[in-house]
Amino acid sequence: MEVLLMLRLRRSVLKGTLAAGAAGLLSGGAASATATTSAASQQRAAHGPARAPVAPAPLTMRWLGVAGWELTFGGGDTATGPRRVLFDPYFSRMRCLNADGKLDPSLPLRLDETAVAEAARARLTGAPELILVSHGHFDHLADVPRLLAHPEWRDHRIRTLCDDSSRHLLTALGAPEKRVADVITVRGGEYLQFDGFTVQVFRSLHSQGADHGYFAPGRLVAPPPTRPTTLGELPEGETLMYAVTVEEGPTVLLSGASNYIARELAGLRPDVAVVGMTSHSAVHGYLERLLEVLGDPPLLIPSHHDDMVSPLTAARVDSAAAAALSTAVSARPTAPRTRVLDPRPYEPLDITAALST
């Protein structure tokens, strides 16, 4: 009961902060602490109220490749079983790079409906109640229409959170009309209550290449007149981040790109930060500033760090991503205990257990 009261106090303080204006490492499961008590206290003083231990509300996360994640947790109407939220699910893994190894917007959009159906049937744990879309690019949105049309999920209500451009792309790519009608269009700033959990929406930025450019920028004010046929015909729209908070449990910040707007995240203290690890050399102090603005979350998880093309179970995963996060943490000697989880495709991460160690 004391833990639950402490967590409620933490949530109350966080909501008040947002309304007002806005190193131990773990790789694959091993942790070590480096911050002293006094240093941790100084860090907490610099970043706002102390973190109370999270309540033992179960939360499991599974990496689906690229920026995709499945969150499974309890709460709300337990008679309905586990709750499921998907973020940027993408399974087609189509060719997207030219001979120079760069994303090529002129390449054909070749959706793998068999891979999507297999993922829905055998890889995911069941029908989600929410699909969160960070932006409109092919590797974040292109498979969502097929998931929404999955026949075994016909009797489940599935809502999608996305911006206007992504909603228009869902229509253009053939998402069922009843699913499109059930879309919750967001633009950043929303704080949404669901049964047993909440979702906060934050305006964000897309990753920038070494030359400071963006892949397939642009917005849609209506569905395109013809069905998209190339990667570049799925424009970015608005890029968003989401914070999912399980009732009496942890908060997970989900990012689909390697960039952010620091002032949008000011005051947020997630328990888990999913960190996009695609190219970010053009973003000044990407990891250092992110850890600073988030107050050094207890858990960090790299994302968007595989080759995007090979079958996921055999994909080349950038092992340097978790190491880069660990290095960024170790460079902050006053940080409280922060750990880095190194995800493997489809393997469950027991977030509740990781936060309690």
Side-chain angles (χ1 to χ4, degrees), residues 255-297:
S255 173
S258 299
N259 209 342
Y260 51 90
I261 303 173
R263 62 180 173 272
E264 291 286 319
L265 302 175
L268 184 68
R269 293 294 181 265
D271 302 292
V272 184
V274 173
V275 183
M277 295 299 291
T278 50
S279 174
H280 53 264
S281 61
V283 180
H284 171 68
Y286 172 63
L287 293 177
E288 296 80 1
R289 290 191 302 112
L290 183 62
L291 296 180
E292 177 73 20
V293 74
L294 295 179
D296 300 291

Side-chain angles (χ1 to χ4, degrees), residues 160-317:
T160 304
L161 269 66
C162 62
D163 77 324
D164 281 322
S165 291
S166 292
R167 185 179 188 276
H168 295 319
L169 287 174
L170 292 178
T171 297
L173 291 170
E177 290 184 7
K178 73 170 185 176
R179 300 296 198 194
V180 175
D182 227 3
V183 166
I184 303 172
T185 304
V186 291
R187 64 186 68 183
E190 294 86 356
Y191 198 158
L192 306 177
Q193 178 71 56
F194 296 92
D195 182 23
F197 65 101
T198 63
V199 177
Q200 293 170 260
V201 188
F202 299 92
R203 293 188 308 119
S204 192
L205 296 171
H206 193 265
S207 309
Q208 291 178 268
D211 63 352
H212 302 88
Y214 293 95
F215 173 79
R219 296 170 177 81
L220 297 175
V221 297
T226 59
R227 186 184 181 95
T229 60
T230 66
L231 305 186
E233 291 179 90
L234 274 64
E236 172 196 345
E238 303 289 346
T239 292
L240 303 168
M241 298 174 75
Y242 299 92
V244 177
T245 300
V246 178
E247 187 174 278
E248 305 301 351
T251 294
V252 180
L253 180 64
L254 296 161
S255 173
S258 299
N259 209 342
Y260 51 90
I261 303 173
R263 62 180 173 272
E264 291 286 319
L265 302 175
L268 184 68
R269 293 294 181 265
D271 302 292
V272 184
V274 173
V275 183
M277 295 299 291
T278 50
S279 174
H280 53 264
S281 61
V283 180
H284 171 68
Y286 172 63
L287 293 177
E288 296 80 1
R289 290 191 302 112
L290 183 62
L291 296 180
E292 177 73 20
V293 74
L294 295 179
D296 300 291
L299 293 179
L300 301 175
I301 309 177
S303 185
H304 215 324
H305 61 303
D306 64 298
D307 65 22
M308 298 174 59
V309 179
S310 304
L312 183 55
T313 53
R316 295 187 300 276
V317 176

Side-chain angles (χ1 to χ4, degrees), residues 2-355:
E2 180 180 356
V3 171
L4 296 180
L5 290 174
M6 293 175 69
L7 185 62
R8 291 191 182 103
L9 176 60
R10 179 170 73 93
R11 298 281 183 239
S12 176
V13 172
L14 174 58
K15 291 177 181 177
T17 301
L18 291 173
L25 307 177
L26 175 65
S27 181
S32 63
T34 60
T36 64
T37 301
S38 59
S41 299
Q42 294 172 4
Q43 183 72 8
R44 286 193 293 270
H47 289 294
R51 300 179 194 274
V54 297
L59 170 64
T60 299
M61 295 177 60
R62 295 197 307 149
W63 182 38
L64 309 179
V66 193
W69 289 87
E70 181 188 55
L71 281 64
T72 307
F73 50 90
D77 182 5
T78 55
T80 62
R83 327 300 297 280
R84 302 178 186 88
V85 172
L86 295 182
F87 175 72
D88 283 0
Y90 172 67
F91 305 102
S92 287
R93 303 184 69 83
M94 67 194 85
R95 182 188 169 211
C96 57
L97 305 178
N98 61 22
D100 296 328
K102 297 181 179 179
L103 285 171
D104 187 345
S106 69
L107 288 174
L109 188 65
R110 293 177 175 168
L111 302 178
D112 190 339
E113 295 188 10
T114 300
V116 176
E118 192 273 339
R121 183 178 60 254
R123 294 293 189 179
L124 301 176
T125 63
E129 57 190 275
L130 280 182
I131 300 179
L132 310 176
V133 177
S134 67
H135 60 285
H137 285 160
F138 69 96
D139 53 328
H140 301 261
L141 174 134
D143 286 340
V144 173
R146 299 282 71 76
L147 289 171
L148 292 174
H150 183 56
E152 295 179 19
W153 296 351
R154 184 183 300 110
D155 297 330
H156 296 267
R157 188 184 190 193
I158 304 174
R159 307 204 70 183
T160 304
L161 269 66
C162 62
D163 77 324
D164 281 322
S165 291
S166 292
R167 185 179 188 276
H168 295 319
L169 287 174
L170 292 178
T171 297
L173 291 170
E177 290 184 7
K178 73 170 185 176
R179 300 296 198 194
V180 175
D182 227 3
V183 166
I184 303 172
T185 304
V186 291
R187 64 186 68 183
E190 294 86 356
Y191 198 158
L192 306 177
Q193 178 71 56
F194 296 92
D195 182 23
F197 65 101
T198 63
V199 177
Q200 293 170 260
V201 188
F202 299 92
R203 293 188 308 119
S204 192
L205 296 171
H206 193 265
S207 309
Q208 291 178 268
D211 63 352
H212 302 88
Y214 293 95
F215 173 79
R219 296 170 177 81
L220 297 175
V221 297
T226 59
R227 186 184 181 95
T229 60
T230 66
L231 305 186
E233 291 179 90
L234 274 64
E236 172 196 345
E238 303 289 346
T239 292
L240 303 168
M241 298 174 75
Y242 299 92
V244 177
T245 300
V246 178
E247 187 174 278
E248 305 301 351
T251 294
V252 180
L253 180 64
L254 296 161
S255 173
S258 299
N259 209 342
Y260 51 90
I261 303 173
R263 62 180 173 272
E264 291 286 319
L265 302 175
L268 184 68
R269 293 294 181 265
D271 302 292
V272 184
V274 173
V275 183
M277 295 299 291
T278 50
S279 174
H280 53 264
S281 61
V283 180
H284 171 68
Y286 172 63
L287 293 177
E288 296 80 1
R289 290 191 302 112
L290 183 62
L291 296 180
E292 177 73 20
V293 74
L294 295 179
D296 300 291
L299 293 179
L300 301 175
I301 309 177
S303 185
H304 215 324
H305 61 303
D306 64 298
D307 65 22
M308 298 174 59
V309 179
S310 304
L312 183 55
T313 53
R316 295 187 300 276
V317 176
D318 184 4
S319 59
L325 282 174
S326 296
T327 298
V329 171
S330 64
R332 297 176 57 79
T334 60
R337 178 168 167 156
T338 296
R339 294 170 291 164
V340 178
L341 304 182
D342 193 359
R344 293 291 179 264
Y346 298 124
E347 292 185 7
L349 295 174
D350 188 336
I351 299 301
T352 306
L355 286 170

